[in-house]
Amino acid sequence: MLASAVQRLFSALGFAKAAKSSFDPLRATTCDIQASYAAGTMTAVSVVEAYLAQIDRHEPYLKAIIELAPRAQLLETAKKLDIERKESGSRSPMHGIPVLVKDNIDIHPDLGVASTTGGSWALKGSTVKASAPAIERLVKAGAIILGKANMSELMWFKGNNVSGWSAVRGLTQSPYVRGGFQTNDTNTGHSNTAGSSSGSAVSVAAGFVPVSVGTDTGGSIAFPGCRQALYALRPSWNIIPGAGIIPITPRFDTIGPMTKSARDVAVMLDVMVDPSTTMIPEGGYVSCLLYDWEGLRVGSLEPEPWLLDDTVVKPVKSATEQEIRETKAAYKKLKAILGKNFYENVDLISIGNSSIDENGVDRFGSMMFADFRSSLNHYLEGLKSSKVRSLKELIEFNDAHPDLELPPGYTQQDKLLKAQDYNMSPEEYKKTDEWIRRKCGPEGIDKTLAQYDIDVIIGPADSLLSNLAASIGSPIGIVPLGTMDFNGRPFGLVVLAAAHNEAKILHFMSAWEKTMPPRAVPDLSKL
């Protein structure tokens, strides 16, 4: 009834009824949607309706969304944007584009989402004072915020539970993996969506939105982006304003786009990046999409030494062999194209040597624990309203409500408990920070880029390479490669570059997208 009323209103305003469209939410990019707007085959109202219908069909199983804004409000927003497009033109390439946002990023209640929960019942009902600056930039550009995506509760910093699970929504499932998450798998095994931005990634892959927003502290965009066959990016630290998120540590936390195409990554950067924080390429980030390999110098990492170990991903021999084989085949294809501008098996400091010191201390992890309590307390104290105002109170809430927060199979809050009691002196913090920056920068990524005179380094996404980038605030992109024969889950590559050199990653992404087969699309009929 509401849809027909909206259509009658459009007719009264002089809009022609949208022609029958072959709109495919599983494949549509922002560019496709804007083309349909220009052709008159779709309106923002009909696009929102299409995505909501897709959510209705598949969200009960996938559990990728924590909260949607009221449908009437979403359709009213879409209607206003359609009218604005007709009367005064488009605000940006994000005008009328639906977006889902990870539920640790603040959205003001005026946009129809009541709380930013981080997946925790302790924060259900809390209210924020304002949307995060990154979200304000999207709204100003004409994006339609559909709601909040599911995630690993508290950015997977609650405890060693299954990745992608939150107390508020449950376990996010992959639209690709046959049979869903296997209870005998490891917490981030082959059947798992992996990474705390799981709902943001799944929502794009499953056709709930064309693009989404995630956050990354050390792999939370790379892992789920890889496993949902996405083009995604953890940008250089803080070029997208990091304010207004439930934090682990402001030292590493970063907001980034999760999409189906290289162009959509660039489109979102052009909207969300604060130009005062970096040098934006002339013509914007979309100008970096050259769709060829000319002038690009690439170094590849031997895949096997970098793959996640057996404690992280339960080994499946055929899957490991396939990932190594197809990664090497991709390298061979790039070498044939790039010739002398492709460098095989470049040297890069190992994860162990870049994060574990001579005394066996995990420097990367220790910085997160050192920052978490004070960072979270500061965030909670700044909320307009909340049941809890400190990490201590959050732990107490969980203990008092085990049926909600510590159900069977998800009983861990060991990270919260450790963080509550964790202390590091200012002197030790400074020493740790300097150690990590040196190991991952001058002795790590920056050294390898300079040694081989290359623009980017590529390696398997099923690795901890994202930690190296996070440690020095440099960007890391994700590109899709293939799907596992044994269960259907995607895998891909990461692309590392120097800090503030998103341009080279976008150049690589666009050339890769043109050269390689299309990204895999899930068969939702088999869920």
Side-chain angles (χ1 to χ4, degrees), residues 137 233 235-242 254 269 272-275 277-278 285 500 502:
R137 297 178 75 88
L233 181 75
S236 297
W237 180 79
N238 216 40
I239 67 169
I240 296 176
T254 304
L269 289 180
M272 292 197 293
V273 168
D274 179 352
T277 62
T278 190
Y285 287 104
H500 298 273
E502 281 74 13

Side-chain angles (χ1 to χ4, degrees), residues 139-455:
V139 172
K140 185 177 180 181
I144 302 170
I145 308 300
L146 291 193
K148 306 299 281 292
N150 198 9
M151 56 182 286
S152 304
E153 186 172 345
L154 297 174
M155 303 73 66
W156 211 36
F157 217 72
K158 178 184 180 182
N160 194 30
N161 297 305
V162 176
S163 186
W165 178 86
S166 74
V168 171
R169 185 66 182 113
L171 181 61
T172 306
Q173 295 281 2
S174 169
Y176 294 91
V177 172
R178 295 185 290 274
F181 179 71
Q182 303 298 300
T183 55
N184 64 348
D185 204 352
T186 47
N187 288 345
T188 52
H190 287 301
S191 65
N192 185 257
T193 53
S196 70
S197 299
S198 53
S200 297
V202 168
S203 67
V204 175
F208 293 175
V209 281
V211 295
S212 68
V213 183
T215 67
D216 186 292
T217 305
S220 290
I221 286 176
F223 289 141
C226 152
R227 295 191 182 196
Q228 303 305 317
L230 300 184
Y231 288 85
L233 181 75
R234 174 204 162 95
S236 297
W237 180 79
N238 216 40
I239 67 169
I240 296 176
I245 66 172
I246 302 174
I248 294 178
T249 165
R251 169 72 170 77
F252 301 139
D253 295 341
T254 304
I255 293 173
M258 309 187 80
T259 79
K260 297 185 181 79
S261 71
R263 182 176 181 83
D264 279 357
V265 173
V267 164
M268 292 190 76
L269 289 180
D270 278 331
V271 169
M272 292 197 293
V273 168
D274 179 352
S276 70
T277 62
T278 190
M279 184 68 70
I280 295 176
E282 186 176 353
Y285 287 104
V286 292
S287 69
C288 305
L289 303 169
L290 303 180
Y291 295 99
D292 63 40
W293 297 99
E294 186 174 352
L296 197 61
R297 298 169 64 83
V298 178
S300 68
L301 297 169
E302 179 68 22
E304 189 167 6
W306 290 93
L307 291 176
L308 296 166
D309 68 35
D310 294 355
T311 63
V312 180
V313 174
K314 183 179 179 180
V316 176
K317 186 172 184 289
S318 65
T320 302
E321 291 174 347
Q322 181 188 359
E323 189 164 8
I324 293 170
R325 181 176 66 251
E326 294 193 22
T327 298
K328 289 184 174 180
Y331 289 174
K332 184 177 180 181
K333 187 170 186 176
L334 295 187
K335 183 176 176 61
I337 296 169
L338 288 164
K340 65 180 182 179
N341 288 330
F342 186 81
Y343 295 79
E344 294 180 275
N345 303 333
V346 297
D347 291 324
L348 178 64
I349 191 170
S350 70
I351 290 298
N353 290 335
S354 64
S355 61
I356 310 296
D357 69 14
E358 62 278 6
N359 298 315
V361 176
D362 178 1
R363 295 282 190 167
F364 185 82
S366 66
M367 289 204 72
M368 290 193 283
F369 280 106
D371 279 338
F372 183 68
R373 184 179 65 243
S374 60
S375 298
L376 183 66
N377 287 351
H378 178 75
Y379 173 85
L380 295 174
E381 290 163 1
L383 291 174
K384 183 177 180 180
S385 66
S386 177
K387 294 189 289 288
V388 297
R389 293 290 184 175
S390 68
L391 173 57
K392 181 176 182 292
E393 291 182 3
L394 189 148
I395 293 169
E396 291 171 349
F397 178 93
N398 293 347
D399 287 337
H401 301 85
D403 54 328
L404 293 176
E405 279 294 329
L406 304 169
Y410 304 96
T411 59
Q412 298 297 315
Q413 58 172 339
D414 50 295
K415 294 178 185 178
L416 299 184
L417 293 168
K418 180 177 178 178
Q420 176 61 24
D421 295 331
Y422 198 91
N423 291 291
M424 182 185 287
S425 69
E427 294 77 19
E428 185 63 22
Y429 187 94
K430 183 174 183 293
K431 179 181 176 181
T432 298
D433 186 41
E434 291 172 348
W435 189 92
I436 291 174
R437 289 184 187 276
R438 182 180 77 253
K439 288 291 185 179
C440 297
E443 298 178 17
I445 293 172
D446 295 338
K447 177 184 177 181
T448 299
L449 292 171
Q451 179 181 341
Y452 295 92
D453 188 24
I454 52 180
D455 299 308

